[in-house]
Amino acid sequence: MNSSSVSRVSRRSVLRTLALAVALVGSATPAWDTTAFAAEPETYALTINHLDRAGRSTGNYETTVTGISGAGADESVKPHDASGTTTVRLPKGRYLLDSLLTGGKGAGGMDWIVQPRLDLDHDTTVTVDARTTAPVDVTPPDRAAGFLNGGMFVEVTHGGTTRFINQVIAAANLRVAHLGPTAEPGSVKQWYDSHWTTETTGYALGYTFTGTRALTGLTRHPSAKDLATVQIRGAARPGTAGAATIDLGPSAGPTIGVTQKLTTPGTATYLVTPERGTWDVTYWAPAEPGTAANRYSANGIAVRAGATTTHTFDNAVFGPHLAGRPGVVRDGDSVTVDVPLLADGDGHVPSSPPYGAASTTLHRNGVLVGTQTGAPGRAEFTVPPGRATYRVTSTVNRNGAPGTATRVTASWTFTSDTTAGPTPVPVSAVRFSPALSPTGTAAADTALRVPVTVQGAAADGRTRSLAVSVSVNGGASWTRVPAENGAVTIRNPRAGTGVSLRAELTDTAGNTLTQTIVDAYRTQ
């Protein structure tokens, strides 16, 4: 479980001292030297009274006054007095005040009172009264679910400046209230997120509000039909085992997330609130000791009440991926290659995929420009100016059993000229998406439908020709399989065999791709 809070930094209030210079002119006439003044900001006394739920003064509080605009825009102070009444002098301006009364900590809860608009233009007294609060009553439909964590966040904007406050809670015992006058329309934004869990299901309940006031209480009791289901499947590549780590949280606004371990292969199920918008998932695959953690991300997952969205991580078919990226870019006479060669079967791009060796080679008009080794599908070359025909070949080798994509190669040809700035080069990729088990396997001696998707320059009807071939002997020989209705059908071999896939493509401009995945999946 991850939780975080935004810390506030108290800035020391700097008050300039009035400097007065008196010069004697003649025998007795005083004169003011106006150049000697350092003008003192106009300040006022802010007195804050703190009352507990019984209406008594209490010293169990933490109050912060944060400047938003005016001379006190950079102020942030935490006045405190054990008596429950505290006074601080501050420059004239707009402030945000929040106070956490902790006398009810525990079963009774905590009281968080927020005044998003405090205009300090005269000596002012504010009373923070716990009796004004109402509970934050947000619960999942399963009453057996246990509370993990929660957080409430408030953002206030005025005069082009935004200030942010929050409370992160470890128990479902928060009470909240608005204090003071209303602010300008739309200037107060508020979020609440809470996470709950059962033995089989997690709940992520989040809500957002925009208006003129902070919340006074919050009640939400969603039913199961009001929630969307997000399933996160963790695969186990052959030869690997262990626990993955999952982070889930809303995409927008400040938030707290939920983190859990998942034994692979396995599935984590979450019920989430569509009202919170889209959701982000980060998945850390199990890593062998001494190796870098391999991270995948799926951001902006759209959800709908009553519907299920599934993301599978770290499963075959691993291969090149070009959705949302150019892949190859020419800037002047520099050619940069950045094509993920080992994106997983769902198209999630890995941060540190395990591999043995990788290289990228560039030819210009059939003449070798250079070869670079290192990260799969990444390289940068300087080429002579002018128009020429190029071939880029990227290869990555991996150790392991069939089904781990033991070798992936993509080779592109294209024509390119010197550019005035960064310009995408027309390259493509082919994705193979069969339905496989969580260990990257398919049933032996059966027909398997393999959807085929084109990405990059040849996508969206810009493919002139596409040929797909299959090999069951590690790429020693290949058999063409016809592509029909966006898929090919493969007759799987006997159990324990690695199935390799190759695509040969030409786009409508004449650019080509030859892509090979050795041991794309295996049979069982």
Side-chain angles (χ1 to χ4, degrees):
M1 174 179 66
N2 277 356
S3 62
S4 62
S5 61
V6 176
S7 62
R8 306 184 186 89
V9 177
S10 298
R11 299 178 179 86
R12 182 172 56 89
S13 176
V14 179
L15 300 179
R16 298 183 179 91
T17 303
L18 179 66
L20 175 64
V22 179
L24 296 181
V25 179
S27 60
T29 305
W32 297 95
D33 181 358
T34 57
T35 64
F37 281 95
E40 179 183 85
E42 190 176 6
T43 65
Y44 298 100
L46 173 63
T47 299
I48 310 169
N49 299 316
H50 299 84
L51 304 180
D52 63 18
R53 293 182 190 173
R56 299 184 298 262
S57 293
T58 178
N60 295 320
Y61 65 86
E62 180 179 296
T63 293
T64 304
V65 183
T66 305
I68 304 177
S69 62
D74 293 329
E75 298 285 345
S76 181
V77 296
K78 294 180 178 291
H80 189 275
D81 189 280
S83 68
T85 298
T86 182
T87 299
V88 61
R89 293 198 70 86
L90 292 169
K92 180 180 179 180
R94 171 73 66 92
Y95 292 86
L96 163 66
L97 182 149
D98 74 289
S99 185
L100 182 69
L101 303 174
T102 57
K105 201 169 186 178
M110 299 178 293
D111 300 285
W112 193 37
I113 298 173
V114 176
Q115 182 166 345
R117 178 177 182 176
L118 174 57
D119 293 314
L120 192 62
D121 53 11
H122 60 280
D123 290 347
T124 300
T125 297
V126 171
T127 298
V128 175
D129 190 341
R131 294 173 297 179
T132 65
T133 64
V136 175
D137 181 15
V138 176
T139 56
D142 188 341
R143 298 308 179 189
F147 183 83
L148 291 177
N149 59 20
M152 183 163 280
F153 312 86
V154 179
E155 182 183 276
V156 178
T157 301
H158 177 69
T161 299
T162 297
R163 296 291 182 251
F164 174 80
I165 55 177
N166 72 288
Q167 291 295 336
V168 175
I169 57 176
N173 61 1
L174 183 65
R175 298 170 62 93
V176 296
H178 170 88
L179 178 63
T182 58
E184 291 75 15
S187 65
V188 182
K189 295 182 179 180
Q190 197 154 355
W191 297 260
Y192 179 72
D193 292 318
S194 63
H195 297 279
W196 307 69
T197 187
T198 69
E199 290 185 359
T200 60
T201 305
Y203 292 88
L205 310 181
Y207 300 93
T208 63
F209 308 88
T210 300
T212 61
R213 299 168 61 87
L215 292 175
T216 295
L218 173 63
T219 300
R220 293 290 188 276
H221 299 150
S223 65
K225 66 180 179 60
D226 298 324
L227 303 177
T229 300
V230 176
Q231 283 190 335
I232 301 171
R233 300 174 66 210
R237 293 181 294 107
T240 66
T245 301
I246 299 170
D247 275 355
L248 171 76
S251 304
T255 186
I256 57 170
V258 62
T259 300
Q260 77 166 78
K261 293 290 185 181
L262 176 67
T263 300
T264 60
T267 300
T269 301
Y270 297 94
L271 295 179
V272 305
T273 45
E275 294 94 327
R276 194 59 170 88
T278 62
W279 294 77
D280 294 346
V281 173
T282 302
Y283 180 94
W284 283 269
E288 297 178 5
T291 62
N294 185 26
R295 182 187 71 253
Y296 297 96
S297 296
N299 296 326
I301 299 172
V303 298
R304 180 169 53 86
T308 298
T309 301
T310 301
H311 277 258
T312 301
F313 293 91
D314 207 35
N315 201 15
V317 172
F318 296 92
H321 190 271
L322 282 179
R325 66 177 65 222
V328 180
V329 173
R330 181 162 182 173
D331 186 358
D333 292 316
S334 175
V335 176
T336 301
V337 181
D338 185 8
V339 180
L341 294 182
L342 293 170
D344 70 11
D346 267 15
H348 306 118
V349 175
S351 65
S352 303
Y355 68 96
S359 65
T360 298
T361 299
L362 175 66
H363 287 81
R364 181 181 187 272
N365 289 336
V367 177
L368 177 65
V369 175
T371 298
Q372 295 185 12
T373 60
R378 292 184 179 178
E380 185 173 354
F381 302 94
T382 299
V383 299
R387 185 177 179 85
T389 299
Y390 291 90
R391 183 174 77 252
V392 174
T393 302
S394 285
T395 298
V396 59
N397 293 294
R398 301 213 291 184
N399 300 322
T404 63
T406 52
R407 181 181 177 89
V408 176
T409 299
S411 183
W412 302 274
T413 66
F414 53 87
T415 300
S416 176
D417 201 346
T418 302
T419 64
T423 304
V425 170
V427 296
S428 303
V430 174
R431 300 289 301 168
F432 299 106
S433 307
L436 301 174
S437 77
T439 56
T441 61
D445 302 315
T446 60
L448 177 66
R449 184 177 184 272
V450 180
V452 179
T453 305
V454 176
Q455 297 177 332
D460 301 323
R462 297 188 297 270
T463 300
R464 178 185 299 171
S465 64
L466 172 62
V468 176
S469 301
V470 61
S471 173
V472 295
N473 56 11
S477 61
W478 295 89
T479 300
R480 184 73 57 86
V481 287
E484 298 176 343
N485 299 319
V488 297
T489 299
I490 296 173
R491 182 68 188 182
N492 283 333
R494 66 181 183 276
T497 304
V499 178
S500 303
L501 299 170
R502 184 173 68 190
E504 297 167 284
L505 176 150
T506 301
D507 69 17
T508 52
N511 309 297
T512 70
L513 161 72
T514 300
Q515 176 183 306
T516 304
I517 304 173
V518 176
D519 296 328
Y521 65 92
R522 63 189 176 95
T523 57
Q524 68 171 3

